[in-house]
Amino acid sequence: MRRTQPAAYLKVLALLVPREHKVEHSNSIKDLTDEQLEDMIEYIKTSLEAQAGGPVKVIEGMIEPTTGPATALPVLEPPKRKPNRLMMEVDTAIGPQERKPRKRVPSPAGT
C-alpha cells in the first residue's frame, strides 16, 4: 500500500497518532548535581575505553565567562531577485519594451 497508494498510507499512519498527544521537553542534565555529572562523565570514559580496547583521548576544558561588549548582528542583504523568465521570452519575441508601473485607483476614504 505504501508504494501503490502513498496518500492513503499516510492517512492511516496519521489516524494511528492520538489527537491529544502531548509532547513535553525536559532537560534532565540541568537537574543533576556536580557530583552526579562527574560520575556520569567517568562512566562514559570507562565505557568508551572498554569499547576501544585502550585509553581514549578526551578534551577537557572550562567555560570562562566573558564580560565584553555585545557584538552587533550581521546586516543581512535582501535576496537578489532573478529576472522574470516570461518577460525575458517576451522581450526576445517582440523586442525590448519599456515597462511602466500600473496606475492605481485611489480608494474612497472611509471604506
Side-chain angles (χ1 to χ4, degrees):
M1 182 176 179
R2 183 183 74 196
R3 291 183 183 161
T4 59
Q5 297 175 338
Y9 178 73
L10 289 177
K11 185 176 181 180
V12 169
L13 291 179
L15 291 173
L16 292 174
V17 178
R19 290 179 187 251
E20 298 295 324
H21 185 72
K22 186 176 182 180
V23 177
E24 293 183 12
H25 176 71
S26 64
N27 191 354
S28 59
I29 294 178
K30 286 185 176 181
D31 299 334
L32 297 176
T33 64
D34 289 342
E35 293 81 22
Q36 290 173 328
L37 284 173
E38 289 173 6
D39 291 341
M40 190 178 291
I41 291 170
E42 194 60 38
Y43 172 76
I44 292 172
K45 282 182 186 179
T46 55
S47 64
L48 287 175
E49 288 175 356
Q51 288 178 0
V56 179
K57 293 182 182 178
V58 179
I59 299 173
E60 297 200 19
M62 296 289 293
I63 298 175
E64 296 178 5
T66 58
T67 57
T71 58
L73 294 175
V75 177
L76 299 177
E77 296 179 14
K80 295 184 180 184
R81 296 180 67 178
K82 294 181 180 177
N84 188 332
R85 192 167 152 210
L86 176 65
M87 296 309 288
M88 288 175 55
E89 297 296 327
V90 169
D91 285 347
T92 58
I94 60 172
Q97 296 182 351
E98 182 180 338
R99 292 183 189 84
K100 298 177 184 174
R102 274 194 249 168
K103 293 182 181 178
R104 295 186 180 193
V105 177
S107 61
T111 57

